[in-house]
Amino acid sequence: METLAQLGKNAVAAKYELQKLSADKKNAGLLAVAQALVADSALILAENEKDVAAAEEKGMHPGLVDRLRLTDERIKGMAEGLKQVVDLEDPIGEVIETFKRPNGLFIEKRRVPMGVIGIIYESRPNVTADAFGLCFKSGNAVILKGGSDAICSNSAITNVIRETLRAEGITENAVQLIASTDRAVTQEFMRLKEYVDLLIPRGGAGLIKSVVENSTIPVIETGTGNCHVYVDETADCAMAVSIIINAKTQRIGVCNACESLVIHEGVKDKLLPVLADALAAHHVEIRGDKSVQQVIDCKPASEEDYGTEYLDYIISMKTVSSLEEAIAHINQYNTRHSETIVTQNMEHAEKFLNEVDAACVYVNASTRFTDGFEFGFGAEIGISTQKLHARGPMGLKELTSYKYTIKGNGQVR
């Protein structure tokens, strides 16, 4: 097994090769990888089954097992994500800005690859292909450190990608996987600043906190998702139920799932009985405040519930008497990820859009759309909840930097 330093050296050498590739060459490589993932799906699924069996034996939470599990459809989805990246415009070389100085110097601001990107992630094997695709198209080499729970799946996917790149005449070190599952190796990876230009953690709050606090490499923080749906007093209740059921139950183990519901007191009597039945059909446990408990039978909500990302069939509910109170509650408890309002009052909608502090704020739509694929970015490298450099789903442009090129005709200062 190669040392981290050697992986770093391999990646640095690869980044200089990748930045020379034309858009056509990169696209051909991505299409070849997409086809290979589907062609080798039986191999990938067999390795994934080892990870799933081990996770279930350890008693892993069903929501996390769902994150870990691959299917034929999910592998096809990974391939489709790569094909969508092919269809996106190559950002490298884009001239962002040009200007001429009084002394005759002509200055251009050009988009360039970040260089070497490190990604530390947990039990989501699809991240392996998504991360490769976006990093590769944006001219970056990537070093991956997946969780021990998905080591067989990640290794299988990475091997398919590397073998395909080699067959296409492209450096296989465009993507490398750290094979060790030792946590000490993860800590060492966070300090590989000599070789890695940017580090992105994808996973739970504990992982993200560890990376932010321990990395010597610049970090883009991808946040956990305590996401809310606010049902305004003017909301269409049928629409609200549909949005809440989708946001809560379509896939529970994801960061853009709804974890908390805020309801205007003027609509609770009409909404809650219907919503409670719909949630019960999906086996969702409700934890509500006293006002909610007066309308439906549910468990009491604690202060802790309002700040919890459950990743489970549980939802907290809070009633409010105004839009202002709803916004204040959401801004107090949310994780700056995704928030939505269901309303027929467009003034309320605009106020919500303007005043809620989150990377993605919706009107009359499910929070589940906070996703690079759904935003038309192809895949995504993660969803940033910070405000420097990148925010929200991160696609190709968020994985680039820029440089200034200056042309003169003999100017001296």
Side-chain angles (χ1 to χ4, degrees):
M1 186 170 64
E2 290 184 300
T3 65
L4 281 180
Q6 187 58 54
L7 293 179
K9 291 173 184 177
N10 294 344
V12 169
K15 79 176 182 181
Y16 292 120
E17 293 300 313
L18 294 173
Q19 70 182 19
K20 300 175 189 175
L21 296 181
S22 67
D24 287 344
K25 185 67 172 175
K26 288 188 282 190
N27 287 340
L30 287 167
L31 286 173
V33 169
Q35 292 166 1
L37 288 173
V38 175
D40 291 336
S41 59
L43 179 153
I44 295 169
L45 290 174
E47 293 300 301
N48 177 250
E49 187 53 41
K50 296 177 184 177
D51 291 329
V52 170
E56 290 178 335
E57 187 175 336
K58 288 192 298 184
M60 180 183 284
H61 188 282
L64 298 180
V65 174
D66 179 61
R67 282 186 172 190
L68 176 61
R69 190 185 304 278
L70 291 175
T71 62
D72 281 320
E73 285 305 308
R74 288 183 182 180
I75 292 176
K76 287 177 183 176
M78 287 158 52
E80 180 59 31
L82 295 179
K83 291 175 184 176
Q84 285 202 3
V85 173
V86 168
D87 293 335
L88 299 175
E89 186 174 349
D90 191 333
I92 302 306
E94 174 193 351
V95 177
I96 301 170
E97 186 179 1
T98 64
F99 51 98
K100 191 172 184 178
R101 299 295 299 145
N103 61 6
L105 288 177
F106 182 74
I107 302 174
E108 284 187 342
K109 186 179 183 181
R110 297 183 182 179
R111 196 175 297 280
V112 298
M114 192 71 68
V116 176
I117 295 176
I119 301 178
I120 300 176
Y121 56 110
E122 292 177 335
S123 305
R124 279 189 175 180
N126 64 292
V127 173
T128 305
D130 293 351
F132 157 73
L134 288 172
C135 289
F136 182 73
K137 180 72 180 257
S138 54
N140 298 290
V142 63
I143 301 175
L144 302 171
K145 177 65 178 75
S148 58
D149 295 326
I151 188 63
C152 296
S153 309
N154 293 335
S155 296
I157 295 167
T158 303
N159 288 340
V160 170
I161 296 172
R162 286 171 61 87
E163 289 170 9
T164 305
L165 292 178
R166 192 185 310 121
E168 291 292 309
I170 299 170
T171 174
E172 62 192 43
N173 289 330
V175 58
Q176 298 176 95
L177 178 72
I178 297 173
S180 173
T181 58
D182 187 342
R183 291 194 174 188
V185 173
T186 305
Q187 294 289 322
E188 186 183 348
F189 182 37
M190 296 180 200
R191 294 175 172 82
L192 214 62
K193 190 176 181 181
E194 181 180 354
Y195 306 107
V196 180
D197 298 291
L198 175 67
L199 192 59
I200 302 173
R202 288 194 60 173
L207 168 68
I208 294 165
K209 184 173 185 288
S210 176
V211 174
V212 169
E213 291 180 353
N214 293 292
S215 177
T216 61
I217 304 166
V219 174
I220 289 182
E221 184 175 350
T222 61
T224 53
N226 185 28
C227 304
H228 296 74
V229 175
Y230 169 55
V231 184
D232 186 47
E233 61 186 317
T234 68
D236 178 314
C237 285
M239 178 191 291
V241 170
S242 175
I243 288 172
I244 293 162
I245 293 299
N246 177 261
K248 178 69 244 182
T249 70
Q250 196 252 351
R251 200 170 173 196
I252 61 166
V254 290
C255 60
N256 56 20
C258 171
E259 303 288 17
S260 192
L261 182 62
V262 183
I263 306 166
H264 192 283
E265 60 185 14
V267 77
K268 69 182 175 70
D269 291 338
K270 181 180 179 182
L271 172 72
L272 282 173
V274 180
L275 178 60
D277 287 343
L279 288 169
H282 290 272
H283 309 290
V284 177
E285 175 187 307
I286 298 171
R287 299 180 183 177
D289 64 10
K290 289 182 179 179
S291 183
V292 170
Q293 293 173 64
Q294 290 170 359
V295 182
I296 59 172
D297 183 27
C298 66
K299 290 187 175 181
S302 67
E303 198 76 12
E304 184 181 359
D305 280 311
Y306 295 133
T308 298
E309 182 189 32
Y310 296 112
L311 302 175
D312 200 351
Y313 289 100
I314 305 171
I315 191 168
S316 66
M317 294 188 184
K318 168 74 175 177
T319 52
V320 294
S321 59
S322 67
L323 173 61
E324 290 76 13
E325 187 182 351
I327 292 171
H329 176 85
I330 290 170
N331 283 341
Q332 179 178 352
Y333 291 101
N334 77 351
T335 52
R336 312 296 184 254
H337 195 294
S338 300
E339 312 295 340
T340 192
I341 181 174
V342 185
T343 185
Q344 295 183 77
N345 184 318
M346 287 304 103
E347 288 185 8
H348 288 190
E350 284 300 319
K351 183 177 178 67
F352 191 87
L353 292 174
N354 290 336
E355 297 182 17
V356 167
D357 184 8
C360 298
V361 188
Y362 294 82
V363 175
N364 295 333
S366 171
T367 55
R368 288 285 288 116
F369 286 103
T370 301
D371 178 274
F373 191 93
E374 295 292 340
F375 276 31
F377 299 164
E380 70 178 32
I381 210 74
I383 297 169
S384 170
T385 54
Q386 65 183 41
K387 298 180 181 180
L388 291 177
H389 173 64
R391 198 177 194 197
M394 293 184 288
L396 294 175
K397 289 186 177 181
E398 286 72 32
L399 299 181
T400 65
S401 183
Y402 56 82
K403 67 180 177 184
Y404 290 99
T405 61
I406 304 96
K407 296 175 183 176
N409 57 0
Q411 287 91 335
V412 295
R413 185 171 177 179

